[in-house]
Amino acid sequence: MTRHLIDITDFTPQEVTTILRLSEQPGLPKVLAGLGVALIFEKPSNRTRHSMEMAVVQLGGHPVYTRGEEVGIDVRETAEDIALVMAGYHAVLAARVFQHDKVQRMAKVSPVPVLNMLSDHAHPLQALADALTMQQIHGPLAGKRVAWVGDYNNVARSLGEICVLLGATITYGCPIGFHPAPPELARLNALGSGSASHQHHTEDAVAGAVAVHTDSWVSMGQEAEKQARIASFRAYTVTNEMMAYAEPGAGFYHCLPAYRGLEVAAEVIDGPASHVIVQAHNRMHTARGVLAFLMGVS
Ligand code: CP
Ligand code: NVA
């Protein structure tokens, strides 16, 4: 059966653990030798494009970057036709899309693995790098407390999924209207041995956390809502005062790009608690790990 990565929940906890182990393993077999990987981007990218291209090269393959407008998913031709055609050229298809269902529909028909490189709903590649980075810095995630402050967005959802799968406790501190609804929390809680909850007060959300995460308040595609969103999130900037409620030695995490003075104070992201550059570099290592896994390495 062809495996895909559309959401973190496509993998079992054991499989996530295997992928994280492969991500740290030097000298993986060149499973993509002589093969192509399609990288389709409907949105801009720095980390995802570069980390995926280099991971493909490290596995012996050839990445083919394509702008979303060129293939025109559901504009020039259907997501299904694109997947079926490209699967004849490439060993893996990867796409960054606005609507989550585009990658879901590609995966449904594709005979080769399809990777979600970020949709409006999920960012599973980011979650793998986040988990690897936290594990490297704080040790195994089982039993650890993780906090998310700000918008319950694509990155927040995938992080919650991986935390619960790996046995961690994630607490969200989000404004009303931007928080995970009770059914979504119930879904997260059913995924594994960890747990997920929401606290309206950020100091309660970060209490006891070894890792404090945030992301931009304005995701790609939400630019028209920028001013309204900034007004809604004003009290949710991660500051040194907020970090003081977390565990001593707690780390600060951000998928980047970051907006200093909005979701995070410069003193935090540029300070000693920040692990954002290691986190960004781990995007390449986890991309290589998951590509190897999807190509059958275990
Ligand atoms: N974190 C992340 O996905 O960054 P890019 O948008 O630059 O790929
Ligand atoms: N939530 C952000 C993540 C960027 C990597 C967005 O979707 O734009």
Side-chain angles (χ1 to χ4, degrees):
M1 195 187 66
T2 306
R3 299 295 303 275
H4 307 284
L5 175 56
I6 304 302
D7 291 287
I8 281 295
T9 50
D10 289 329
F11 296 139
T12 64
Q14 291 71 26
E15 288 172 334
V16 170
T17 304
T18 300
I19 291 164
L20 297 181
R21 174 175 52 74
L22 292 175
S23 303
E24 290 191 298
Q25 202 168 300
L28 288 175
K30 303 266 189 248
V31 281
L32 289 173
L35 300 173
V37 173
L39 304 173
I40 304 167
F41 283 87
E42 288 187 346
K43 305 179 184 181
S45 173
N46 169 6
R47 282 145 289 276
T48 306
R49 177 179 178 181
H50 285 264
S51 61
M52 282 290 290
E53 288 210 19
M54 291 317 300
V56 171
V57 168
Q58 288 164 5
L59 293 172
H62 179 78
V64 179
Y65 169 84
T66 310
R67 286 160 55 93
E69 309 90 276
E70 292 178 55
V71 284
I73 306 176
D74 289 339
V75 176
R76 196 160 176 268
E77 51 189 321
T78 64
E80 287 83 358
D81 281 357
I82 290 169
L84 288 167
V85 169
M86 283 196 171
Y89 311 141
H90 297 289
V92 177
L93 310 181
R96 167 169 283 198
V97 295
F98 285 94
Q99 292 95 354
H100 192 61
D101 79 288
K102 287 186 182 174
V103 276
Q104 286 177 318
R105 285 165 46 221
M106 288 173 73
K108 211 164 185 178
V109 300
S110 174
V112 303
V114 176
L115 262 169
N116 176 8
M117 297 195 292
L118 181 147
S119 67
D120 54 5
H121 186 77
H123 198 1
L125 288 171
Q126 183 66 51
L128 289 170
D130 297 350
L132 181 68
T133 313
M134 288 193 288
Q135 190 178 285
Q136 288 171 339
I137 291 165
H138 310 290
L141 290 188
K144 296 272 172 21
R145 296 189 79 88
V146 174
W148 174 277
V149 176
D151 190 16
Y152 185 69
N153 62 11
N154 44 8
V155 174
R157 178 176 291 105
S158 296
L159 180 68
E161 291 177 354
I162 207 162
C163 282
V164 177
L165 279 180
L166 295 178
T169 295
I170 185 161
T171 310
Y172 293 98
C174 313
I176 302 285
F178 300 93
H179 64 286
E184 173 67 353
L185 287 173
R187 184 190 70 83
L188 289 175
N189 276 301
L191 293 177
S193 59
S195 67
S197 63
H198 177 249
Q199 295 282 346
H200 285 300
H201 298 292
T202 50
E203 55 269 35
D204 295 331
V206 304
V210 297
V212 177
H213 292 248
T214 190
D215 183 12
S216 170
W217 297 334
V218 186
S219 284
M220 291 180 274
Q222 298 174 332
E223 291 77 8
E225 302 165 33
K226 186 173 174 182
Q227 290 316 320
R229 283 182 157 266
I230 288 175
S232 302
F233 286 99
R234 266 286 167 227
Y236 290 78
T237 305
V238 179
T239 58
N240 275 343
E241 292 76 59
M242 192 189 291
M243 290 296 292
Y245 286 93
E247 276 289 288
F252 172 76
Y253 297 83
H254 192 309
C255 62
L256 304 179
Y259 301 92
R260 288 165 177 79
L262 292 177
E263 74 272 11
V264 60
E267 65 194 14
V268 175
I269 192 167
D270 300 323
S274 178
H275 301 298
V276 300
I277 302 302
V278 181
Q279 198 184 349
H281 292 169
N282 273 335
R283 290 292 309 275
M284 181 175 74
H285 303 305
T286 45
R288 191 177 60 243
V290 74
L291 283 166
F293 180 81
L294 290 171
M295 294 303 293
V297 179
S298 59

